[in-house]
Amino acid sequence: MQATATPPLTAPGSDAVAAVVSGLRDRFGDRLSTGQAVREQHASTLTWAPSQPPDAVVFATSTAEVQAVMRLCAEHRVPVIPFGTGSSLEGHVNAPFGGVSVDLSGMNRILAVNAEDLDCVVEAGLTRKALNVALRDQGLFFPIDPGADASFGGMAATRASGTNAVRYGTMRDAVLALTAVTPNGEIVRTGSRARKSAAGYDLTRLLVGSEGTLGLITELTLRLSGIPEAISAGICSFPSVKAACDAVILTIQTGIPVARIELLDEMQVRACNAYSKLSLPETPLLLLEFHGTDASVREQAARFGEIAAGEGAGPFSWATETEARNRLWQARHDAYWAALALRPGGRAVATDVCVPISRLAECVAETKRDILETGLVAPIVGHVGDGNFHVQPVVDVDDPEEVARVAGFVDRLVARALAMDGTCTGEHGIGQKKIRYLEAEHGPEAVALMRSLKQAFDPLGIMNPGKVLRG
C-alpha cells in the first residue's frame, strides 16, 4: 500500500508561534505559560532521551478548552503535545518541533460511577490512585497498575498495563468509550457503556495506544472490578532467572489465576533492598499476589508452591497484612528509582519487550548473558505473567563509547524479542526512541497503512509530531 504524503516535519515559524501564544493568552490568561522552568517540566525528564521543551504550556480544564487550543493551533499549523503526568518513558511528551503542550492535570474529575454496571466516567487528567481512593468505599477498584501514578489519558494513549495485567488485562481491555478532540478541533465520542458492540469501526481502540498522534483524549469510560474478598502476596526466591521464568510459564500454562507475578533479577533485588530498606534474599525473585475468596487464595498459593518447589525455589514467605503487602509492592513500583541509585549520576534507559510466554525463560536468560558480556549495569524486572519484562541500563550519557554499547544492546534485545514472535514494546510504546523498530516488527505494508491513518486523522501533521512514525 502506498502511504499518502504527509507534510514535512518542521518547526513552525516564529510568527505562527507568536500568534498562537497571543491567542492563548487572551483566552487562558495566567493558565498559559512560556516560562523556561514550566516548559522544561513538560518535556522528557525520566530517560536518556534529550529534553525538548515546547514553546508554551496551556493548562486546560475542559474539553471545550482543549478544542479551542486545537483549533487555534490548527489555524497556524503549530504542533500540539498532550501532557498528563509526564511519566512516559519513550519521549512521548517531548516537543521536537516546538508547539504547545496541553497540560490536562486540571481535568481531574470523576464524572460518574455506575457501581451496578462496574464502570465509571472520568476526565483524562485524573490519576489512577485518586480514582481508587474515591472508589474504595463502594467496594470497587480500577486494576490497571503501571507503577507510576499516571493519568488516565496518558495510560490510554500509551496502552499501558502493569503488574495486574496477567489477570485484569491492559488499557485496551479497560476503556469502553472515550471523548477526544481531533487535530482539526472536532469533538468525537467513541463507544458506549455497553460491554460489546458491532457498530462500525472500533475507533476507541484505534485511539487507545495512538500515543497522542491521532487526537487528544479528554474523557474516558472505564471498566471497574470488585475489590477481592481475600488478597495474599508471596515472595519466592529461585536459584536462577531461568528457574523463576520456568515457574512462571508452568503457573500460566496450568491455569492458576494469579493476579500479579513479577520477576526481579538479583541486581534489581539488591537495588530494592538498598533503596526501600528491605532484606530480601539477593537472588532472582518472584513477587506474587492472589485474589479471590479465602479458600481459592489458599488453593492458588498451594498449587504455585508445588510448581516453585519443582524449580528449586527457596522458602516461600507470605504477606497477608495490608501494610506488609503495600510495602512490598511499593518497593516494586520504586524499582526505577532503586536502579538509578545503583549508579549515582547515571541516566536510565528504561526499555521493555514482550514475548510469548513459552519463550520467556529463553529470552530473559539470553538477555542476562548479553548484559554480562556487554558489561552493563542493567537490572531486569518484569510483568512476566504475560511475557513482558523491562531492562534498565543505567548509563553515563557523557561517555560516547558506553552510550554506543547500550544502543547496541537495546537493538539486540529488540531483535531477540522479534525473532521469538514478540514485540519491541509491551507497554512503554514507541514514542521517539523505538520508531526504528516499527517496520521490522510490522512490515512496510502495515507501516504504510499506519501512515495513511495518520494522514486521515491529522493532515496538517500537528498532533504530537515525531512520535510513532518517522517524518
Side-chain angles (χ1 to χ4, degrees):
M1 172 176 289
Q2 181 65 42
T4 307
T6 55
L9 294 177
T10 58
S14 58
D15 289 346
V17 172
V20 167
V21 169
S22 176
L24 292 176
R25 196 172 298 284
D26 289 344
R27 171 72 185 260
F28 291 93
D30 59 7
R31 287 191 288 127
L32 183 281
S33 177
T34 56
Q36 181 176 349
V38 174
R39 291 189 297 111
E40 289 180 351
Q41 289 167 2
H42 287 74
S44 180
T45 58
L46 292 180
T47 72
W48 70 340
S51 181
Q52 298 167 311
D55 294 304
V57 178
V58 64
F59 295 84
T61 60
S62 69
T63 298
E65 287 190 345
V66 172
Q67 181 183 42
V69 174
M70 198 75 79
R71 286 180 169 173
L72 184 60
C73 287
E75 179 184 348
H76 295 278
R77 299 197 174 194
V78 169
V80 175
I81 304 95
F83 187 94
T85 63
S87 59
S88 58
L89 295 170
E90 298 291 351
H92 294 94
V93 297
N94 264 341
F97 304 98
V100 176
S101 175
V102 182
D103 187 311
L104 303 177
S105 59
M107 295 181 63
N108 57 7
R109 294 181 300 161
I110 300 171
L111 303 176
V113 176
N114 305 296
E116 300 88 349
D117 294 317
L118 296 176
D119 69 53
C120 67
V121 183
V122 302
E123 290 184 318
L126 184 73
T127 65
R128 63 175 186 86
K129 287 184 179 179
L131 176 62
N132 279 330
V133 167
L135 293 174
R136 190 178 300 149
D137 290 343
Q138 299 186 59
L140 301 172
F141 81 120
F142 181 78
I144 311 302
D145 175 13
D149 189 21
S151 67
F152 285 109
M155 288 171 65
T158 55
R159 206 180 314 155
S161 55
T163 60
N164 281 320
V166 63
R167 176 156 182 168
Y168 296 97
T170 73
M171 286 300 286
R172 180 189 64 184
D173 310 295
V175 180
L176 293 169
L178 57 80
T179 299
V181 180
T182 66
N184 66 354
E186 299 297 326
I187 297 173
V188 176
R189 293 178 174 85
T190 75
S192 70
R193 288 180 51 228
R195 288 303 172 108
K196 64 179 183 179
S197 171
Y201 298 131
D202 192 343
L203 296 178
T204 301
R205 280 161 188 79
L206 183 57
L207 288 166
V208 171
S210 63
E211 303 185 21
T213 63
L214 302 182
L216 200 158
I217 298 168
T218 60
E219 294 179 11
L220 305 98
T221 302
L222 304 170
R223 293 177 186 261
L224 302 176
S225 296
I227 296 175
E229 174 187 317
I231 300 175
S232 183
I235 302 169
C236 194
S237 296
F238 287 81
S240 67
V241 163
K242 183 179 185 303
C245 290
D246 284 339
V248 171
I249 293 169
L250 287 170
T251 299
I252 302 304
Q253 290 177 341
T254 54
I256 299 174
V258 62
R260 290 169 159 175
I261 185 163
E262 297 285 298
L263 169 72
L264 288 73
D265 76 349
E266 62 274 16
M267 184 180 292
Q268 185 65 67
V269 175
R270 183 165 68 251
C272 288
N273 277 344
Y275 187 85
S276 300
K277 307 297 186 292
L278 301 176
S279 56
L280 301 171
E282 293 184 357
T283 62
L285 175 146
L286 290 180
L287 179 57
L288 307 98
E289 193 166 276
F290 301 101
H291 295 177
T293 64
D294 287 329
S296 68
V297 164
R298 285 195 299 271
E299 179 186 0
Q300 293 168 40
R303 290 175 63 194
F304 174 79
E306 293 170 359
I307 291 172
E311 297 297 332
F316 198 8
S317 59
W318 290 100
T320 54
E321 298 297 323
T322 301
E323 183 177 350
R325 248 192 359 258
N326 288 346
R327 188 178 181 212
L328 287 175
W329 287 111
Q330 188 58 52
R332 164 61 186 91
H333 290 328
D334 288 340
Y336 173 92
W337 306 108
L340 278 181
L342 289 171
R343 192 173 180 186
R347 295 293 300 273
V349 184
T351 190
D352 80 312
V353 295
C354 189
V355 296
I357 189 71
S358 63
R359 306 299 298 273
L360 175 67
E362 178 185 3
C363 193
V364 175
E366 289 186 16
T367 300
K368 286 284 290 182
R369 283 194 294 271
D370 196 349
I371 290 169
L372 291 172
E373 292 170 0
T374 311
L376 301 179
V377 177
I380 291 177
V381 62
H383 319 309
V384 287
D386 53 12
N388 185 200
F389 67 95
H390 306 254
V391 189
Q392 187 174 316
V394 185
V395 188
D396 178 359
V397 294
D398 295 323
D399 182 343
E401 187 275 334
E402 184 177 0
V403 169
R405 276 191 292 128
V406 171
F409 166 76
V410 175
D411 286 345
R412 293 190 300 276
L413 173 65
V414 170
R416 187 177 303 125
L418 295 183
M420 295 181 182
D421 288 330
T423 176
C424 67
T425 175
E427 59 183 14
H428 287 184
I430 296 295
Q432 292 177 303
K433 302 301 290 182
K434 286 194 170 179
I435 291 175
R436 65 185 183 276
Y437 306 124
L438 200 61
E439 189 166 306
E441 178 167 337
H442 293 292
E445 296 81 9
V447 173
L449 182 57
M450 293 181 196
R451 289 186 183 281
S452 296
L453 288 168
K454 169 69 171 172
Q455 170 67 13
F457 274 76
D458 184 20
L460 298 178
I462 65 169
M463 198 70 236
N464 209 10
K467 320 296 166 58
V468 183
L469 297 168
R470 292 190 188 278

